[in-house]
């Protein structure tokens, strides 16, 4: 915990591990300290008549696992509550590997996933596999009432002869203005400076799922689509650790999917984008996490934060649409094609209410 701010407030998360198995062993060691060993067997609680008959082992000992100068924490869970299946392992793999932002620097919090059932993970793409298919990428920073930094890049594949890369960046801050709620022909200034939110950094990778594009440039179309369906969306990270459940399937916290139904050719949907919103815990105290750790309390600071992120996404999308039009003309042999409704997305929305 050296130089780290605590994650969470009420300590509820530490109980979650006990749902996975009946026997819990914890080994931990700090620098230049003894090793601490804790062992809890929940079977003993079930079999004992009185609480004083149950023994929980807590002891300090000479290092046995973290020997020499090694430090860290190891958690062992056994006597599992359920028999794990291939589907469960794949689901956990997706969840665990999404805990850290793939856009972070090399010194950021990282997750490594190991299993003796490697064959159960066959066919699962990872971020490194998919990012080479991203045509549109961007990075931006928001502070106060402005987008202070913004860079955009269009990267057509080498096989797309005739299409040229394009870069765009702002030379001065862009003030964030949006239509005032309930007031026609009126605007309001989005201003994070009214709250303790701090600087926001956003990274985006946007993909294309047009049938003609996939037919010509994507080898494994099914895996490509499945990855974006399961992992697409804008996730939120604070000090490099993910805040759930932003970016999960079904959580349209920025209204990307609902906005795309009205203008499918102009707006992004969650299954087209891999994005990360980065926050600094020290400077974002007004964004308060819910007790169950599933998102922020929707107070005034959160609404301003959400509106600022939406504004930045829309600013990026306006640049992406310039190159998307060029790509469409290219795929159509130099001719502009009529607008096609995204019927698959409309069907998804209709299915939610049937």
């Amino acid at each position: 915990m050296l130089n780290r701010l605590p994650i969470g407030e009420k300590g509820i998360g530490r109980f979650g591990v006990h749902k996975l198995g009946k026997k819990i062993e914890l080994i931990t060691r700090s620098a230049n300290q003894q090793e601490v060993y804790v062992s809890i067997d929940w079977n003993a609680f079930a079999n004992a008549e009185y609480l004083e008959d149950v023994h929980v082992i807590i002891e300090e000992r000479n290092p046995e696992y973290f020997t020499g100068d090694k430090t860290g924490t190891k958690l062992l869970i056994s006597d599992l509550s359920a028999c794990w299946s291939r589907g469960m392992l794949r689901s956990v793999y997706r969840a665990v590997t999404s805990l850290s932002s793939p856009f972070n620097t090399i010194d950021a919090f990282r997750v490594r996933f190991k299993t003796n059932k490697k064959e159960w993970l066959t066919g699962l793409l990872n971020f490194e596999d998919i990012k080479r298919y991203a045509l549109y990428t961007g990075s931006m920073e928001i502070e106060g009432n402005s987008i202070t930094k913004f860079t955009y890049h269009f990267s057509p594949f080498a096989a797309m002869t005739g299409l040229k890369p394009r870069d765009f960046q702002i030379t001065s801050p862009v003030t964030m203005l949006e239509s005032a709620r309930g007031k026609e022909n009126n605007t309001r200034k989005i201003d994070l400076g009214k709250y303790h939110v701090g600087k926001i950094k956003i990274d985006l990778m946007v993909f294309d799922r047009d049938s003609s594009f996939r037919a010509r440039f994507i080898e494994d179309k099914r895996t490509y689509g499945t990855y974006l369906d399961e992992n697409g969306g804008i996730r939120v990270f604070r000090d490099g650790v993910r805040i759930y459940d932003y970016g999960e399937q079904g959580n349209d916290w920025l209204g990307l999917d609902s906005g795309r139904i009205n203008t499918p050719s102009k707006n992004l949907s969650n299954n087209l984008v891999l994005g990360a919103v980065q926050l600094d815990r020290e400077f974002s105290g007004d964004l308060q996490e819910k007790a169950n750790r599933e998102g922020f309390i929707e107070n005034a600071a959160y609404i301003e934060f959400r509106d600022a992120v939406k504004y930045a996404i829309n600013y990026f999308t306006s640049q992406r649409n310039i190159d998307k039009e060029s790509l469409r003309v290219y795929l159509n042999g130099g001719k502009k094609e009529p607008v096609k409704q995204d019927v698959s997305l409309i069907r998804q929305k209709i299915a939610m209410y049937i």
Side-chain angles (χ1 to χ4, degrees):
M1 292 297 293
L2 180 62
N3 297 325
R4 290 186 183 177
L5 293 172
I7 297 175
E9 298 176 356
K10 301 174 176 63
I12 294 174
R14 68 187 64 177
F15 292 107
V17 66
H18 300 286
K19 294 182 65 176
L20 298 176
K22 300 295 191 300
K23 295 181 180 179
I24 312 297
E25 293 178 271
L26 176 70
I27 306 169
T28 186
R29 186 191 180 202
S30 300
N32 304 315
Q33 300 294 320
Q34 290 283 80
E35 193 172 78
V36 176
Y37 174 78
V38 179
S39 177
I40 303 173
D41 185 351
W42 287 99
N43 293 309
F45 286 85
N47 298 327
E49 185 174 359
Y50 299 104
L51 190 60
E52 59 261 30
D53 297 332
V54 179
H55 299 284
V56 174
I57 300 173
I58 304 175
E59 62 181 23
E60 279 192 329
R61 66 189 189 188
N62 291 326
E64 297 179 15
Y65 184 80
F66 294 105
T67 56
D69 295 330
K70 295 178 182 178
T71 61
T73 299
K74 182 175 183 178
L75 183 65
L76 299 171
I77 307 170
S78 57
D79 194 1
L80 300 182
S81 301
C83 181
W84 280 57
S85 64
R86 177 177 178 272
M88 290 173 63
L89 183 66
R90 291 168 76 92
S91 179
V92 168
Y93 172 83
R94 296 186 192 98
V96 170
T97 53
S98 74
L99 285 173
S100 57
S101 170
F103 297 96
N104 275 349
T105 57
I106 194 169
D107 60 343
F109 171 75
R110 290 292 185 190
V111 172
R112 287 182 293 175
F113 191 96
K114 296 182 180 180
T115 176
N116 61 350
K117 292 284 189 179
K118 293 182 179 179
E119 67 277 9
W120 283 6
L121 300 180
T122 301
L124 281 178
L125 292 179
N126 57 37
F127 181 77
E128 294 301 317
D129 297 323
I130 200 72
K131 71 178 184 180
R132 62 191 178 99
Y133 294 115
L135 292 171
Y136 320 93
T137 57
S139 179
M140 61 206 85
E141 291 183 5
I142 306 171
E143 195 167 7
N145 60 17
S146 304
I147 299 175
T148 55
K149 293 182 180 180
F150 180 92
T151 59
Y152 164 88
H153 186 60
F154 172 55
S155 308
F157 300 161
M160 296 176 177
T161 55
L163 281 178
K164 296 181 179 180
R166 188 177 73 89
D167 293 288
F168 173 83
Q169 63 183 29
I170 59 175
T171 56
S172 59
V174 176
T175 302
M176 297 184 292
L177 297 172
E178 70 165 5
S179 298
R181 294 182 180 90
K183 297 180 180 180
E184 295 185 6
N185 302 319
N186 200 358
T187 60
R188 79 170 188 98
K189 185 180 293 183
I190 302 171
D191 189 2
L192 296 172
K194 298 183 295 184
Y195 306 99
H196 192 58
V197 173
K199 183 187 296 183
I200 300 172
K201 187 177 186 298
I202 304 173
D203 293 290
L204 298 174
M205 287 187 175
V206 174
F207 301 79
D208 199 295
R209 300 187 65 161
D210 180 83
S211 58
S212 56
F213 166 79
R214 288 185 288 115
R216 293 174 61 176
F217 299 107
I218 304 298
E219 295 178 4
D220 191 344
K221 301 170 186 59
R222 181 179 178 181
T223 304
Y224 173 80
T226 299
Y227 182 94
L228 292 176
D229 285 339
E230 294 178 345
N231 298 278
I234 310 293
R235 296 170 177 171
V236 178
F237 299 84
R238 187 143 64 173
D239 285 1
V241 180
R242 188 173 174 193
I243 304 294
Y244 277 93
D245 59 341
Y246 305 116
E248 290 294 289
Q249 287 180 288
N251 185 339
D252 189 23
W253 69 286
L254 293 171
L256 299 184
D257 291 343
S258 57
R260 185 173 165 84
I261 288 178
N262 296 324
T263 52
S265 63
K266 299 297 183 183
N267 293 333
L268 295 179
S269 59
N270 285 301
N271 65 358
L272 289 177
V273 58
L274 298 177
V277 178
Q278 310 279 358
L279 294 165
D280 188 318
R281 182 170 294 275
E282 183 178 358
F283 301 108
S284 58
D286 282 352
L287 295 175
Q288 303 169 21
E289 294 178 42
K290 297 177 182 177
N292 60 6
R293 301 290 309 284
E294 293 185 357
F296 295 120
I297 295 172
E298 296 187 9
N299 55 19
Y302 168 78
I303 293 172
E304 203 76 357
F305 159 73
R306 183 193 61 196
D307 290 348
V309 173
K310 287 174 64 175
Y311 186 95
I313 300 298
N314 289 335
Y315 194 83
F316 169 91
T317 304
S318 66
Q319 290 296 321
R320 169 259 194 179
N321 287 345
I322 296 173
D323 297 305
K324 180 185 175 183
E325 177 62 23
S326 299
L327 177 62
R328 289 292 169 269
V329 172
Y330 168 81
L331 293 173
N332 202 35
K335 301 177 182 178
K336 289 190 176 183
E337 61 179 3
V339 176
K340 297 179 180 178
Q341 295 297 321
D342 192 343
V343 294
S344 62
L345 187 62
I346 294 173
R347 285 172 182 160
Q348 291 176 22
K349 287 295 179 182
I350 292 174
M352 293 173 60
Y353 299 99
I354 297 177

